[in-house]
């Protein structure tokens, strides 16, 4: 074997070698195992050990080395998405975050809605400015804590009175810092309030995050449903491949306190039909309520005000359930595992 190849094998990428019952298992741990590198290592190992272990099965496992960053301590990252703007994505994100806190989970909320970051207002944190903190030699952004939720928002970095004209690269840079260079610490859930739509920025955002799953919010109205379908298709793209754990229908009906009659202002059961159509669970329906709108505007999510607890509670329980189911049925994707019998060339 050429000396450069020997050094490749003997360098610190080699994690372990085990010889058990006729099998030799060699494990490597590599930060960015490209297909080319994987094949090269595999070939080198098989070529060099072939003769010595001729009676053994050779197994080469190449693991992807986990990069330590701000997200390492987070168990679940859930993206809240919508195709259309104004359907209640931030309202759902904020109520989900506080209800998870009430159920005893540690929760972060990242407002990535570059077009209309409304989380600072919804959490009464409009004038807050996250500080930088030095942690183990790294300068990390410290989230603002409101109602027990750790918050970061693109809105903290602009004057709320100014329109935000974020150009793609600038927005991506700011988002990248909030995601990867922030002191999120250990969290059970990080909720990401995505911008509405399915453009380039969404693609790069969802690709840069190890998302556990996505939740799509829509109103029952056909224009919103069409856009929700596009959002779902985006998550299903091969290059993204994020499980959509459910659909939420918001603004489902309106009812006065005095009357039992329901008014279906934005149409009836559109979210339910979408759920049936695509085989994606409906996590719940939320009616139009003055108290939900008001609570967003005064900076105290409705869940904390008795203004919609019942609806949000059911949705949160469903999200916890679906997330657990997802984690049990889909294997973690960190490991790239290649198992090869000797001489097998792929
Ligand atoms: P998005 O994040 O999709 O743009 P928002 O959550 O900001 O939407 O909601 C848009 C507006 O509609 C906000 O003023 C919010 O308070 C209001 N809203 C959302 N859901 C409801 C609801 N179920 N009842 C009443 N008002 C709502």
């Amino acid at each position: 074997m050429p000396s450069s190849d020997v050094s490749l094998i003997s360098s610190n990428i080699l994690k372990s070698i085990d010889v058990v019952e006729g099998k030799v298992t060699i494990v490597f741990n590599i930060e960015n195992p490209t297909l080319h590198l994987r094949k090269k290592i595999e070939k080198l190992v098989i070529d060099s050990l072939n003769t010595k272990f001729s009676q053994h099965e050779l197994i080469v496992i190449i693991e992807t080395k986990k990069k330590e960053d701000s997200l390492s301590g987070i168990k679940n990252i859930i993206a809240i998405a919508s195709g259309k703007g104004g359907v209640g994505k931030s309202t759902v994100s904020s109520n989900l975050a506080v209800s998870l806190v009430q159920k005893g989970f540690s929760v972060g909320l990242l407002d990535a809605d570059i077009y209309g970051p409304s989380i600072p207002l919804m959490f009464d944190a409009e004038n807050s400015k996250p500080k930088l903190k030095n942690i183990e030699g790294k300068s990390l952004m410290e989230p603002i804590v409101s109602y027990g939720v750790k918050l970061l928002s693109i809105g903290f970095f602009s004057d709320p009175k100014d329109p935000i004209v974020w150009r793609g690269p600038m927005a991506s840079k700011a988002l990248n810092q909030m995601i990867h260079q922030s002191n999120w610490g250990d969290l059970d859930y990080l909720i990401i309030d995505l911008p509405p739509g399915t453009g380039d920025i969404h693609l790069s955002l969802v690709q840069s995050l190890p998302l556990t799953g996505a939740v799509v919010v829509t109103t029952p109205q056909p224009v919103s449903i069409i856009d929700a379908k596009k959002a779902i298709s985006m998550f299903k793209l091969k290059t993204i491949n994020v499980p959509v754990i459910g659909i939420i229908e918001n603004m489902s009906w309106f009812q006065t306190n005095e009357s039992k009659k329901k008014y279906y202002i934005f149409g009836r059961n559109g979210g339910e039909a979408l759920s049936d159509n695509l085989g994606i669970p409906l996590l719940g329906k939320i009616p139009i309520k003055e108290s939900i709108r008001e609570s967003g505007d005064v900076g105290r999510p409705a869940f904390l005000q008795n203004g919609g607890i019942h609806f949000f509670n059911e949705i949160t329980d469903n999200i916890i359930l679906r997330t657990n189911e997802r984690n049990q049925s889909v294997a973690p994707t960190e490991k790239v595992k290649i198992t090869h019998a000797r001489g097998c060339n792929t």
Side-chain angles (χ1 to χ4, degrees):
M1 200 167 17
S3 60
S4 61
D5 291 344
V6 174
S7 68
L8 178 70
I9 294 292
S10 61
S11 69
N12 61 2
I13 63 166
L14 180 60
K15 191 177 163 191
S16 64
I17 302 180
D18 285 311
V19 186
V20 182
E21 290 174 2
K23 283 185 186 166
V24 181
T25 307
I26 303 133
V27 182
F28 294 92
N29 197 253
I30 306 174
E31 206 155 83
N32 184 18
T34 59
L35 189 62
H36 172 73
L37 186 61
R38 282 186 221 151
K39 284 191 171 176
K40 188 172 174 182
I41 293 174
E42 181 206 0
K43 187 173 182 315
L44 280 171
V45 173
I46 290 174
D47 286 354
S48 54
L49 300 182
N50 211 4
T51 325
K52 193 159 185 200
F53 293 96
S54 58
Q55 300 306 312
H56 290 69
E57 184 188 355
L58 290 178
I59 298 169
V60 181
I61 294 174
I62 302 189
E63 294 177 354
T64 303
K65 193 187 255 176
K66 214 174 156 195
K67 257 191 177 172
E68 283 296 314
D69 78 357
S70 315
L71 305 179
S72 331
I74 302 175
K75 289 189 191 137
N76 297 294
I77 306 181
I78 308 284
I80 312 293
S82 73
K84 195 176 172 302
V87 298
K89 188 174 45 56
S90 303
T91 304
V92 164
S93 304
S94 53
N95 282 288
L96 172 63
V98 290
S99 60
L100 283 167
V101 167
Q102 297 259 315
K103 288 175 193 289
F105 295 102
S106 46
V107 183
L109 172 55
L110 171 67
D111 178 8
D113 189 348
I114 52 166
Y115 306 120
S118 42
I119 294 299
L121 171 68
M122 290 182 172
F123 277 81
D124 195 19
E126 267 181 299
N127 299 316
S128 303
K129 287 270 170 278
K131 294 193 174 65
L132 289 177
K133 200 172 171 187
N134 197 301
I135 295 166
E136 292 168 8
K138 280 190 212 153
S139 181
L140 298 179
M141 207 185 285
E142 188 67 18
I144 302 291
V145 180
S146 181
Y147 307 119
V149 180
K150 288 184 181 176
L151 301 172
L152 278 178
S153 167
I154 206 118
F156 288 141
F157 307 100
S158 61
D159 187 325
K161 291 178 214 90
D162 290 342
I164 300 179
V165 191
W166 287 91
R167 295 185 185 278
M170 254 170 75
S172 300
K173 203 173 155 220
L175 278 176
N176 198 48
Q177 193 179 3
M178 289 195 288
I179 294 167
H180 298 289
Q181 290 153 40
S182 297
N183 186 27
W184 289 110
D186 291 336
L187 294 178
D188 294 309
Y189 288 91
L190 176 63
I191 310 298
I192 316 255
D193 185 0
L194 288 179
T198 50
D200 282 354
I201 192 137
H202 309 81
L203 276 175
S204 59
L205 185 60
V206 295
Q207 274 170 330
S208 71
L209 282 163
L211 291 178
T212 310
V215 169
V216 174
V217 182
T218 181
T219 68
Q221 199 179 0
V223 283
S224 172
I225 298 288
I226 291 168
D227 288 358
K229 261 189 193 162
K230 287 186 200 158
I232 292 168
S233 304
M234 175 181 80
F235 290 112
K236 285 186 172 166
L237 283 176
K238 259 198 187 142
T239 49
I240 294 184
N241 197 21
V242 169
V244 178
I245 58 177
I247 294 166
I248 295 174
E249 190 188 278
N250 187 25
M251 309 191 189
S252 298
W253 68 85
F254 174 74
Q255 199 171 14
T256 61
N257 288 337
E258 298 76 34
S259 151
K260 283 217 160 78
K261 184 170 165 50
K262 289 179 176 176
Y263 297 89
Y264 298 93
I265 294 170
F266 291 109
R268 196 168 178 176
N269 292 337
E272 207 168 311
L274 181 68
S275 149
D276 288 345
N277 209 310
L278 300 180
I280 296 173
L282 185 72
L283 300 167
K285 293 182 179 187
I286 308 165
I288 300 172
K289 277 185 151 280
E290 197 173 354
S291 55
I292 297 180
R293 196 275 306 152
E294 262 171 16
S295 55
D297 287 347
V298 300
R300 193 173 157 80
F303 185 81
L304 299 171
Q305 316 227 34
N306 250 337
I309 284 193
H310 161 64
F311 308 102
F312 290 121
N313 207 22
E314 183 195 321
I315 286 171
T316 304
D317 284 344
N318 281 335
I319 290 178
I320 296 168
L321 189 82
R322 300 281 170 206
T323 305
N324 290 343
E325 279 174 7
R326 178 260 179 241
N327 288 342
Q328 275 159 22
S329 62
V330 184
T333 48
E334 293 150 19
K335 259 187 185 174
V336 178
K337 195 170 178 176
I338 308 172
T339 306
H340 280 288
R342 178 183 311 104
C344 177
N345 208 3
T346 53

